[in-house]
């Protein structure tokens, strides 16, 4: 069944250099792609006496008209057989039909049949049924033909005094629309509507009447508002919203009137309508920057945040609070505990935005209360599982991490609570916690004692290899005193269990081999009597020590084949053995070193005894052997390397990351709060330059005027930047010269095509015909234009983009040439000029972005589309090649600069970018410089969709040669 939807008509906007107006679309209808009936079949249905057949015929006729099928003969059929019907559905469809048909002929004059249509409309305006009257009046708002409207003016005026509010409401709208388009038809329109406003009791009628005065006769609206200023609080909410809009406009035009209307705004804060309260807060923020006004507006936002259950409303209010925070953070700092209540919502987007606002409002005065709330929220998630709960826990841990770094005095209260999550089943949360602990230990030395004690207590519960590696490194690095070194040794030996280690290989052969080598988890022997009566001794290997449920988690990871973790264990034990030399006599330190060497030897034996798939790798074996050599001959240089240089490298990494995060912080967040001092310069906006920007600011009602002083207003692209986006489509010697200015607006591409007639003859029916390749879609049909000799015209074309993929726009310009020689055989003089192709660059859709190393690895493992590009370049240095790739692909290098320093012929780096459609683009660059001076290697691209992987690969292949490519 066809769905009909009438949309409010809007005026067509003129384009610079365009003389013709585009036709408005005021009606959308579902179109069935089945074969439509012809005119004869439609005529039979319309002439039928069955109203249901007439309804279906009218729906089909309207659909055909909307899709460009002109049926002028059907107009009289409709007038003869449909107009006399009194069916309400047919009446409604009839108004839609009058809306979509052409009401003028080729000469621009009104069709003669429109006289009958006008008579029908006059009858409907006097119809005894209120619904028909109201619908007809609503239809008149969409008419743009003054000849049809002029005879109906008296009837429209009479409907302003109709007994039914539905008719009066639509009559006011009709007067408003007619006065706005043809004020000469209703010169007394504002007076009539003002009289209706003063006598009207219906809320909708009063709102429509006041809205007309607001737009058409503002002085009358201001006078009425001034006379009834004390009664505004008792008006309906829809009328109060228009009043607030009028107050905003009045105060913007005359700031001296602010004090008069601010009291009215403050009284409306007590309205029962949430929309009115929200609008009051927005108007107050836009008109005043005083602390009292901002506090009142912020209180209203916070109340809406806590009282509304709709998640969309909560998100909108949070965005307004985020905007308010940029200029008035001190006021919002007093309300941080009210804002943080939004964490009670189950929606992750609301929680994330709340935490972002909270982090910017934390000060020493409120850090204690905020930390208590965050600690309680983390504890709530401890006994719950689920994807959303896990992600929320990670967000809370990240928020606590950032807060504790800024305010170290609060870290001591939350670190013990967070460290309970080191054994969490979700690896992401546990990794976030251990990285937070690592930074706390380095940044705040006075907390090291208590934090290390808690870490040693919780270490046995860690079952993630990545978390265990960081924890082991911390034990080796920050256990400095004799008691801490002894506690670290005790904890590690208890987690490693008894020697020897057995590889995770089942079967009797493995048990026998282990028993033969003196291995096994625990070896037991007992005498038995054989069948022949002799005695024998049987050896049994107990594997539960290695693989049972009671086995230490660290031992389980090691015997499972994680030899990288084994090297970290070796590093930690070696550091502890070297640190013990400062606290114990030499014989005791030698015993400690021997004990560590025994453990390292057991790890090597475990690696060699493993199966083919679990054998130790060469790198891990070499590293374990190196630590054995270091312990056998420890010297000053060895202690300096292990105990000093490693810590210095870690400190340098943290400092570099902190400076990088400071540089990546958006400029909007670093804008200082605007303060007005007594000796500040007075800025007169009317005397400032840049009138276009001033006009734009006046209509930007949601932002404070002082936003311009802080750089919040962004102007249009300058002339030089626009020239870079101009592409020549035809040659200078072609009869038609065309060039296109390409502007990308998020999901749309706007083509502004300049067409110039370079001949001495006029061009008739000139049409720009375009087609696309890729995920691009044209939004409009081509329109025909007439160009005089030497005349130019701007033609607009909008293209919808649905994915990040390189697209191509191609087409031609066709026109009829007048004055040329007649075409042979009576044909038409239709000429065609083929246009150059327009390549839509993928770089317009992706922007540099940043993510954590853990998130990058997770996405790299998840994404299935990979494009591998072989390096073929003329650039001679690997660092120069990386810089060229970054510049060409508009991506960000996630690998820290310190990791890329030094003179090396090998380079590996991770790049990341995000598209406007939310797609992630991951790139790994692995290149090396060969002996002959050339660079070889591969660039691997991964993404979730095929388009961005292929398009980015093509871009890199095209640009990798060098800057001149």
């Amino acid at each position: 069944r066809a769905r009909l939807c009438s949309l409010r008509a809007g005026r067509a906007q003129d384009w610079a250099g365009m003389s013709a107006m585009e036709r408005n679309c005021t009606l959308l209808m579902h179109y069935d792609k089945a074969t439509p009936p012809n005119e004869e079949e439609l005529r039979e249905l319309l002439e039928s006496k069955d109203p249901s057949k007439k309804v279906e015929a009218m729906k089909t006729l309207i659909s055909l008209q909307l899709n460009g099928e002109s049926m002028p003969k059907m107009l009289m059929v409709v007038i003869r057989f449909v107009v006399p019907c009194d069916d309400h559905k047919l009446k409604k469809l009839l108004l839609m039909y009058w809306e979509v048909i052409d009401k003028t002929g080729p000469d621009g004059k009104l069709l003669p049949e429109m006289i009958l249509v006008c008579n029908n409309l006059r009858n409907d305006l006097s119809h005894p049924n209120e619904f028909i009257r109201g619908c007809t009046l609503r239809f008149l708002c969409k008419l743009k033909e003054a000849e049809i409207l002029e005879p109906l003016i008296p009837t429209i005026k009479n409907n302003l005094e109709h007994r039914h509010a539905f008719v009066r409401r639509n009559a006011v709208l009709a007067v408003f629309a007619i006065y706005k388009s043809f004020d000469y038809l209703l010169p007394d329109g504002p007076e009539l509507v003002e009289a209706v406003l003063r006598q009207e009791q219906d809320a909708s009628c009063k709102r429509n009447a006041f809205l007309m005065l607001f737009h058409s006769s503002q002085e009358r609206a201001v006078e009425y508002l001034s006379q009834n200023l004390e009664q505004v609080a008792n008006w309906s909410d829809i009328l109060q919203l228009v009043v607030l809009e009028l107050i905003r406009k009045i105060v913007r035009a005359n700031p001296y009137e602010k004090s008069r209307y601010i009291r009215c705004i403050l009284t409306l804060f007590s309205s029962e309508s949430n929309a009115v309260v929200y609008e009051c807060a927005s108007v107050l923020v836009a008109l005043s920057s005083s602390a009292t006004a901002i506090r009142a507006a912020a209180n209203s936002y916070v109340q809406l945040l806590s009282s509304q259950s709709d998640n969309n409303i909560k998100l909108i209010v949070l965005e307004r609070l985020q905007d308010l925070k940029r200029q008035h953070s001190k006021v919002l700092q007093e309300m941080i505990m009210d804002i943080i209540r939004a964490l009670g919502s189950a929606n992750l987007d609301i929680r994330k935005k709340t935490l972002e606002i909270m982090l910017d409002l934390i000060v020493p005065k409120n850090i204690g209360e905020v930390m208590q709330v965050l600690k309680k929220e983390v504890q709530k998630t401890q006994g719950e599982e689920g994807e959303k709960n896990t992600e929320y826990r990670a967000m809370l841990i990240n928020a606590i991490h950032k807060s504790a770094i800024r305010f170290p005095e609060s870290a001591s209260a939350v670190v013990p609570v967070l460290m309970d999550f080191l054994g969490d089943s979700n690896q992401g949360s546990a990794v976030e916690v251990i990285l937070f602990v690592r930074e706390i230990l380095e940044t705040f030395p006075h907390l090291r004692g208590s934090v290390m004690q808690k870490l040693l207590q919780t270490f046995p519960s860690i079952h993630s290899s990545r978390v265990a590696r960081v924890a082991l490194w911390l034990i080796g690095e920050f256990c400095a005193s004799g008691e801490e070194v002894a506690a670290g040794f005790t904890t590690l030996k208890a987690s490693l269990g008894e020697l020897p280690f057995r590889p995770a290989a089942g079967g009797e052969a493995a048990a026998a081999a282990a028993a033969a080598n003196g291995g096994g988890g625990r070896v037991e022997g007992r005498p038995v009597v054989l069948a022949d009566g002799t005695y024998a001794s049987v050896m049994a290997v107990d594997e539960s020590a290695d693989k049972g449920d009671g086995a230490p988690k660290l031992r389980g990871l090691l015997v499972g084949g994680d030899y990288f973790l084994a090297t970290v264990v070796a590093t930690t034990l070696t550091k502890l053995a070297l640190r013990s030399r400062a606290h114990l006599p030499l014989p005791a330190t030698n015993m400690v070193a021997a004990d560590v060497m025994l453990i390292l030897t057991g790890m090597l034996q475990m690696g060699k005894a493993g199966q083919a798939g679990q054998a130790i790798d060469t790198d891990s074996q070499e590293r374990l052997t190196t630590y054995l050599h270091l312990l056998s001959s420890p010297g000053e240089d060895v202690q300096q390397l292990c105990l000093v240089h490693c810590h210095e490298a870690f400190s340098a990494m943290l400092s570099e990351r902190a400076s990088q995060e400071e540089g990546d912080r958006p400029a909007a967040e670093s804008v200082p709060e605007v303060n007005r001092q007594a000796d500040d310069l007075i800025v007169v906006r009317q005397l400032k330059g840049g009138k276009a920007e001033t006009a734009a600011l006046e209509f930007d009602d949601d932002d404070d005027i002082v936003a311009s002083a802080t750089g919040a207003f962004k102007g249009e692209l300058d002339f030089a930047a626009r020239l870079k986006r101009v592409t020549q489509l035809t040659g200078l010697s072609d009869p038609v010269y065309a060039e296109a200015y390409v502007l990308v607006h998020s999901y749309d591409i706007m083509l502004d095509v300049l067409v110039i007639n370079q001949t001495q003859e006029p061009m008739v029916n000139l049409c720009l015909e375009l087609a696309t390749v890729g995920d691009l879609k044209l939004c409009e049909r081509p329109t025909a234009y007439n160009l005089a000799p030497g005349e130019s015209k701007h033609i607009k074309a909008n293209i919808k983009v649905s994915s990040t993929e390189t697209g191509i726009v191609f087409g031609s310009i066709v026109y009829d040439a007048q004055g040329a020689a007649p075409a042979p055989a009576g044909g038409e003089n239709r000429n065609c000029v083929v246009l150059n192709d327009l390549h839509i660059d993928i770089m317009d859709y992706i922007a540099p972005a940043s993510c954590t190393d853990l998130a990058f690895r997770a996405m790299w493992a998840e994404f299935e589309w990979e494009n591998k590009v072989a390096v073929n370049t003329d650039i001679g240095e690997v660092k120069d090649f990386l810089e060229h790739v970054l510049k060409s692909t508009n991506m960000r290098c996630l690998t820290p600069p310190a990791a890329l320093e030094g003179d090396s012929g090998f380079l590996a780096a991770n790049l990341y970018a995000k598209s406007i459609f939310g797609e992630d683009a991951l790139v790994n660059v692995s290149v090396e410089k060969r002996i002959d001076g050339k660079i070889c290697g591969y660039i691997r691209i991964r993404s979730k969709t095929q388009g961005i992987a292929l398009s980015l690969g093509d871009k890199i292949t095209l640009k990798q040669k060098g800057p001149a490519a």
Side-chain angles (χ1 to χ4, degrees):
R1 183 178 177 179
R3 297 179 57 192
L4 304 178
C5 169
S6 180
L7 300 179
R8 200 166 68 186
R11 287 187 176 182
Q13 298 180 351
D14 288 328
W15 257 67
M18 297 179 65
S19 59
M21 294 285 290
E22 293 185 358
R23 184 176 175 183
N24 296 326
C25 175
T26 60
L27 188 68
L28 293 180
M29 176 177 282
H30 170 73
Y31 177 66
D32 190 359
K33 294 184 179 180
T35 304
N38 54 31
E39 288 192 21
E40 291 299 325
E41 294 174 347
L42 285 175
R43 184 191 300 272
E44 292 178 3
L45 292 173
L46 291 173
E47 292 177 357
S48 172
K49 295 182 180 181
D50 187 359
S52 60
K53 293 183 179 179
K54 291 187 178 183
V55 167
E56 293 301 323
M58 287 297 297
K59 290 180 179 179
T60 305
L61 186 58
I62 295 171
S63 299
L64 293 175
Q65 288 281 346
L66 287 174
N67 286 277
E69 296 289 339
S70 179
M71 295 184 175
K73 296 180 181 180
M74 302 302 297
L75 179 57
M76 281 305 301
V77 178
V78 171
I79 293 175
R80 289 177 56 197
F81 297 100
V82 180
V83 167
C85 295
D86 289 332
D87 187 79
H88 286 190
K89 186 176 291 188
L90 277 176
K91 288 285 185 182
K92 184 69 175 176
L93 290 172
L94 198 58
L95 295 176
M96 294 181 181
Y97 180 68
W98 301 145
E99 186 177 341
V100 299
I101 62 172
D102 292 326
K103 303 169 187 65
T104 56
D107 55 355
K109 295 182 179 180
L110 204 65
L111 293 174
E113 294 88 343
M114 288 298 109
I115 299 175
L116 300 175
V117 174
C118 184
N119 184 58
N120 170 251
L121 293 175
R122 186 189 293 111
N123 294 335
D124 285 345
L125 288 175
S126 304
H127 200 280
N129 186 280
E130 295 85 359
F131 173 76
I132 295 177
R133 281 200 188 199
C135 291
T136 307
L137 287 166
R138 192 64 177 236
F139 162 70
L140 296 181
C141 299
K142 306 174 185 179
L143 278 184
K144 299 302 177 185
E145 287 77 21
E147 295 87 347
I148 299 178
L149 293 170
E150 187 174 6
L152 304 176
I153 296 298
T155 315
I156 296 174
K157 290 181 179 181
N158 294 334
N159 281 310
L160 289 173
E161 301 175 356
H162 193 272
R163 59 180 178 82
H164 203 283
F166 178 71
V167 178
R168 298 196 303 272
R169 172 190 320 161
N170 288 285
V172 172
L173 287 178
V175 171
F176 180 22
I178 295 172
Y179 184 81
K180 185 168 61 173
S181 301
F182 314 102
D183 53 353
Y184 59 88
L185 294 179
L186 267 171
D188 57 344
E191 298 177 9
L192 294 172
V193 172
E194 185 180 9
V196 171
L197 178 61
R198 295 186 181 278
Q199 300 173 2
E200 187 59 59
Q201 300 298 324
D202 183 73
S204 298
C205 295
K206 292 185 70 172
R207 180 257 181 193
N208 292 349
F210 192 80
L211 186 67
M212 178 187 171
L213 294 181
F214 170 52
H215 289 286
S216 303
S217 181
Q218 187 172 327
E219 62 279 359
R220 294 178 183 271
V222 172
E223 181 183 356
Y224 179 78
L225 178 61
S226 302
Q227 295 173 359
N228 300 273
L229 202 57
E230 301 297 331
Q231 306 297 326
V232 172
N234 300 324
W235 290 353
S236 63
D237 55 348
I238 56 176
L239 184 55
Q240 288 174 347
L241 291 174
V242 184
V243 168
L244 288 171
E245 189 67 25
L246 177 62
I247 291 175
R248 187 197 306 237
K249 195 170 184 179
I250 293 172
V251 177
R252 281 290 179 92
N254 187 7
Y256 295 106
E257 298 284 341
K258 181 189 298 185
S259 59
R260 181 182 180 185
Y261 294 105
I262 286 293
R263 184 181 301 174
C264 176
I265 297 175
L266 294 176
T267 58
L268 290 179
F269 273 114
S270 59
S271 173
E272 297 180 358
S273 171
N274 293 322
V276 174
V277 174
Y278 175 81
E279 193 63 26
C280 280
S282 300
V283 172
L284 202 57
V285 171
L287 299 183
S288 177
S289 57
S290 67
T292 305
I294 298 302
R295 190 174 291 107
N299 276 324
S300 300
Y301 286 142
V302 170
Q303 290 175 7
L304 289 174
L305 188 62
S306 59
S307 63
Q308 294 299 308
S309 58
D310 191 340
N311 291 335
N312 295 320
I313 297 177
K314 287 179 180 286
L315 287 172
I316 293 172
V317 172
L318 285 171
E319 288 178 0
R320 302 301 300 168
L321 286 172
Q322 209 161 18
D323 295 338
L324 205 60
K325 167 181 63 72
R326 296 190 181 100
Q327 300 297 332
H328 308 282
S329 59
K330 291 183 179 179
V331 176
L332 289 183
Q333 287 168 4
E334 306 169 2
M335 308 176 185
I336 186 171
M337 298 309 297
D338 295 324
I339 297 174
I340 208 172
R341 290 178 186 170
L343 292 177
S345 173
N347 187 277
L348 285 178
D349 293 330
I350 295 175
R351 288 172 166 175
K352 182 178 180 180
K353 197 172 287 292
T354 303
L355 290 173
E356 290 175 357
I357 296 174
M358 179 209 68
L359 287 175
D360 293 331
L361 297 179
I362 293 178
V363 291
K365 183 179 179 181
N366 56 35
I367 180 63
E369 297 178 345
V370 171
M371 280 299 190
Q372 287 296 328
V373 173
L374 294 180
K375 187 165 71 171
K376 289 180 181 178
E377 289 293 322
V378 170
Q379 290 172 343
K380 287 180 184 177
T381 64
Q382 194 165 7
E384 303 175 4
E385 295 300 332
E387 184 178 353
K388 288 186 177 181
N389 187 68
T390 300
E391 189 174 349
Y392 178 47
R393 184 187 306 159
M395 288 192 294
L396 287 172
I397 293 173
N398 187 33
I400 294 176
H401 182 182
K402 294 180 179 178
S403 304
I405 294 301
R406 289 174 55 192
F407 303 97
E409 63 276 4
S410 64
S412 59
V414 294
V415 169
V417 177
L418 289 184
M419 293 182 71
D420 291 334
F421 291 93
L422 289 177
D424 191 18
S425 58
N426 178 33
Q427 183 180 355
S429 300
V431 169
E432 186 73 29
V433 171
I434 196 65
L435 294 180
F436 168 52
V437 172
R438 184 182 69 175
E439 193 166 351
I440 288 292
L441 288 172
E442 172 62 23
T443 311
F444 310 112
H446 64 281
L447 298 177
R448 288 178 182 173
S450 59
V451 173
M452 286 305 302
Q453 183 179 0
K454 181 68 175 177
L455 178 61
L456 292 174
Q457 293 175 359
T458 56
F459 182 80
S461 64
I462 298 175
H463 55 75
S464 170
S465 177
R466 179 178 173 84
V467 179
R469 291 198 300 266
V470 181
L472 286 168
W473 187 89
L474 293 177
I475 293 173
E477 198 65 40
F478 293 102
C479 286
S481 65
E483 294 80 5
E484 291 174 346
V485 171
F489 263 122
T490 304
T491 302
L492 290 184
K493 291 193 70 174
S495 300
L496 290 172
E498 298 179 0
L499 292 177
F501 299 105
R502 284 196 65 257
E508 296 180 359
N517 293 329
R522 185 170 68 252
V523 182
E524 297 180 352
R526 62 184 179 88
V528 295
V529 180
L530 300 180
D532 58 355
T534 60
Y535 289 89
S537 180
V538 175
M539 306 298 294
V541 179
D542 183 9
E543 298 184 5
S544 62
D546 288 327
K547 301 173 63 178
D549 295 336
K553 293 181 173 58
L554 179 61
R555 184 184 182 94
L557 292 172
L558 291 178
V559 300
D562 192 345
Y563 297 108
F564 182 40
L565 179 61
T567 61
V568 180
V569 172
T571 304
T572 303
L573 291 173
T574 303
K575 287 183 179 180
L576 291 177
L578 293 176
R579 290 186 189 278
S580 66
R581 301 176 70 86
H583 307 289
L584 297 175
L586 184 60
T589 57
N590 290 337
M591 291 293 295
V592 171
D595 197 9
V596 172
M597 293 173 70
L598 182 62
I599 295 175
L600 300 188
T601 305
M603 292 181 183
L604 285 173
Q605 289 181 347
M606 177 185 66
K608 292 180 180 180
Q611 295 178 350
Q614 293 182 339
I616 189 171
D617 57 281
T618 307
D619 292 338
S620 300
Q621 181 179 357
E622 182 180 355
R623 196 169 179 186
L624 290 173
T625 307
T626 302
Y627 284 124
L628 284 173
H629 288 299
L630 291 178
L631 290 172
S632 62
S633 57
E636 292 296 329
D637 53 346
V638 173
Q639 295 190 32
Q640 192 75 9
L641 174 66
C642 295
L643 304 181
V644 179
H645 292 172
C646 289
H647 190 80
E648 291 177 352
F650 174 62
S651 301
M653 184 198 73
L654 287 184
S655 302
E656 181 183 351
R657 191 177 68 180
S659 60
Q660 183 178 1
E661 290 177 355
E662 188 70 24
D664 293 342
R665 183 176 299 172
E669 296 184 3
S670 60
V671 173
E673 186 175 355
V674 177
N675 296 316
R676 293 170 180 79
Q677 304 296 337
D679 55 349
D680 283 350
L681 293 177
I682 298 176
V683 179
V684 182
R685 296 174 59 218
Q686 285 77 5
L687 301 181
K688 286 179 62 178
K691 295 182 179 179
E693 294 187 3
T694 304
L697 278 173
E698 289 176 355
F699 288 100
D700 192 7
D701 293 337
D702 291 334
D703 294 329
D704 201 345
I705 298 175
V706 289
S708 59
T710 60
F713 181 79
K714 297 180 180 178
E716 292 293 328
L717 296 173
D718 58 5
F719 184 70
R722 289 173 64 90
L723 279 180
K724 294 180 181 179
R725 292 182 171 271
V726 174
T727 304
Q728 185 175 340
L729 300 179
T730 62
L732 296 175
S733 60
D734 288 327
V736 179
Y737 175 77
E739 64 181 23
Y741 167 62
V742 183
L743 184 60
V744 178
H745 285 297
S746 296
Y747 304 101
D748 298 311
I749 298 175
M750 189 272 288
L751 299 182
D752 185 4
V753 183
L754 172 64
V755 180
I756 303 176
N757 181 3
Q758 299 193 114
T759 65
Q760 300 300 320
E761 301 294 336
M763 295 180 176
V764 183
N765 294 330
L766 182 142
C767 187
L768 175 65
E769 298 180 348
L770 298 176
T772 59
V773 174
D775 286 339
L776 305 176
K777 183 179 180 182
L778 289 167
C779 300
E780 298 104 356
R781 292 184 176 183
T783 306
Y785 302 93
N786 297 330
L787 285 185
E791 185 183 356
S792 63
K793 187 175 293 296
H794 287 265
I795 302 176
K796 176 185 67 173
N798 287 320
I799 300 174
K800 184 70 69 176
V801 185
S802 56
S803 70
T804 308
E805 183 178 350
T806 301
I808 301 175
V809 181
F810 61 94
S812 60
I813 295 177
V814 294
Y815 62 93
D816 296 333
Q818 289 188 351
E828 297 181 352
N829 291 315
R830 196 70 171 164
N831 299 317
C832 177
V833 178
V834 180
L835 306 178
N836 293 329
D837 294 345
L838 268 174
H839 292 267
I840 307 301
D841 196 354
I842 186 180
M843 296 300 104
D844 291 326
Y845 307 117
I846 66 174
S850 59
C851 69
T852 62
D853 180 60
L854 186 64
F856 185 91
R857 292 176 182 272
M859 288 188 289
W860 187 269
E862 177 187 356
F863 293 167
E864 57 183 2
W865 289 103
E866 178 174 322
N867 190 3
K868 192 173 183 180
V869 179
V871 173
N872 181 17
T873 181
D874 298 331
I875 301 175
E877 298 294 333
V878 290
K879 290 184 180 178
D880 295 341
F881 178 73
L882 177 62
E883 292 295 330
H884 176 65
V885 171
L886 289 172
K887 185 178 180 181
S888 303
T889 58
N890 200 22
M891 304 191 78
R892 170 170 296 179
C893 181
L894 299 181
T895 306
L900 303 175
E901 290 179 354
D903 187 10
S904 174
F906 175 80
L907 184 145
N910 293 330
L911 315 182
Y912 179 66
K914 203 174 186 69
S915 74
I916 60 175
F917 304 98
E919 301 167 319
D920 300 292
L922 312 179
V923 174
N924 174 261
V925 180
S926 298
V927 292
E928 66 174 331
K929 187 176 181 180
R930 296 187 300 194
I931 301 177
D932 57 1
K934 291 189 176 181
I935 294 178
C936 64
Y938 291 96
I939 300 175
R940 298 168 65 192
I941 307 161
R942 285 197 181 184
S943 65
K944 204 167 189 177
T945 57
Q946 182 183 17
I948 190 171
L950 296 178
S951 301
L952 201 55
D954 295 341
K955 184 72 175 180
I956 293 175
T957 304
L958 184 66
K959 293 287 186 178
Q960 68 170 325
K961 278 288 185 180

